[in-house]
Amino acid sequence: MFLYRVKIEELDASRRLRLRDDLSRGEENLRAQCPIREMSVVAEGRADELDIYLALDDFIETEQLQRLAGELNALFGKESLPRVSAELIHI
């Protein structure tokens, strides 16, 4: 299994709430892009950040991961882009 962690920083409070809601509404579309076993959005810790954890199947194609990253980037929007980092960890 893989863990795909996306950390979004430099968010103001309203943008953080909006992004969290967008992720909840867009979860089905994200699952269509990639075999996601579980998805968790964590808004604890610093007030200006949001962590997204996606548990992915062992067998994932590069194209699926690229589409998933593209869908996530589209949710972040183009205006005032937040600082985003991601890591893929094989568990």
Side-chain angles (χ1 to χ4, degrees), residues 32-34 61-72:
Q33 302 304 318
C34 196
E61 297 178 14
T62 304
E63 295 82 19
Q64 290 175 311
L65 190 56
Q66 289 172 336
R67 284 194 306 267
L68 177 62
E71 287 292 323
L72 287 170

